[in-house]
Amino acid sequence: DSGVTQTPKHLITATGQRVTLRCSPRSGDLSVYWYQQSLDQGLQFLIQYYNGEERAKGNILERFSAQQFPDLHSELNLSSLELGDSALYFCASSVAPAGPYEQYFGPGTRLTVT
Amino acid sequence: TQLLEQSPQFLSIQEGENLTVYCNSSSVFSSLQWYRQEPGEGPVLLVTVVTGGEVKKLKRLTFQFGDARKDSSLHITAAQPGDTGLYLCAGPNAGGTSYGKLTFGQGTILTVHP
């Protein structure tokens, strides 16, 4: 158990809908990272938050947004869902900014868009 | 942009065999991490190497960081079916405000047959 929790574990929804994925980081970790993993794309970095502020953006679509709350939990919002958004979504946390930047991953949310 | 290339992409071996997975880059990394991921689960951190030339052992797994800190290898001795999984190397991006953001290799899918 990494100490990172993600809910829900599975999510099935229809195209055009909006969903929210939730992540609670390990106790003491200030940074949260979101990743998307599909079979043909590997682990793709989406976005990073540090202590409530956005720090880095990766290949995140405009239909997706995220935020980190004062209690450090984070939410990833996916809207106008398309079939291609079906994937595993992982949240990770780390103590950053200090190195060596080890990340601890949650169990993931499997999103299926039908 | 810092990239990490892993090889081989796929590895299918018999129980008891030895294997080596490589992680290479043209960029220098302050550290490199290795993760193992099982299907449907989040990546689990195996080890972090920080010093050029460093060798770390984790039971039957041996990790090495290149002298120039541009490459790393993972060697498994006497592989077992329980070693089956996706092995990922990752390194932190240098500079900017995106500290803690990791670059991941595409991964090596290892299958160990009994």
Side-chain angles (χ1 to χ4, degrees), chain B residues 6 15 27-29 44 52-53 58 63 70 77 79 82 85 92 97 99 111 114:
Chain B
Q6 283 186 243
E15 182 176 1
S27 304
V28 174
F29 284 88
V44 175
L58 186 65
F63 304 85
K70 292 183 177 181
T77 303
T97 59
Y99 42 70
T111 304

Side-chain angles (χ1 to χ4, degrees), chain A residues 17-84:
Chain A
Q17 294 300 303
R18 172 189 170 95
V19 297
T20 297
L21 312 184
R22 183 187 169 104
C23 167
S24 291
R26 290 189 321 160
S27 176
D29 285 357
L30 299 179
S31 267
V32 169
Y33 311 80
W34 285 98
Y35 294 88
Q36 180 192 58
Q37 188 177 42
S38 54
L39 283 174
D40 58 346
Q41 291 291 328
L43 198 63
Q44 298 290 314
F45 169 72
L46 295 178
I47 196 165
Q48 175 198 4
Y49 278 83
Y50 173 73
N51 204 19
E53 293 186 6
E54 181 185 305
R55 281 296 185 175
K57 258 185 175 180
N59 303 318
I60 187 166
L61 300 172
E62 286 191 9
R63 300 183 285 108
F64 296 0
S65 65
Q67 53 184 328
Q68 186 179 28
F69 295 87
D71 67 353
L72 300 178
H73 91 271
S74 179
E75 293 180 356
L76 178 67
N77 301 295
L78 315 176
S79 62
S80 303
L81 285 167
E82 302 175 358
L83 294 178

Side-chain angles (χ1 to χ4, degrees), chain B residues 23-105:
Chain B
C23 176
N24 295 296
S25 176
S26 58
S27 304
V28 174
F29 284 88
S30 59
S31 64
L32 276 180
Q33 300 161 24
W34 285 91
Y35 294 81
R36 177 170 167 263
Q37 184 181 16
E38 297 190 30
E41 304 291 330
V44 175
L45 178 67
L46 295 175
V47 77
T48 300
V49 285
V50 178
T51 306
E54 181 177 7
V55 176
K56 279 191 173 179
K57 292 192 174 184
L58 186 65
K59 295 183 181 178
R60 293 175 294 100
L61 279 60
T62 301
F63 304 85
Q64 186 163 4
F65 201 11
D67 291 340
R69 291 185 288 128
K70 292 183 177 181
D71 57 270
S72 182
S73 64
L74 157 60
H75 182 79
I76 301 180
T77 303
Q80 299 177 359
D83 297 326
T84 293
L86 172 67
Y87 289 81
L88 296 158
C89 66
N93 283 31
T97 59
S98 61
Y99 42 70
K101 177 179 177 292
L102 294 177
T103 295
F104 279 86

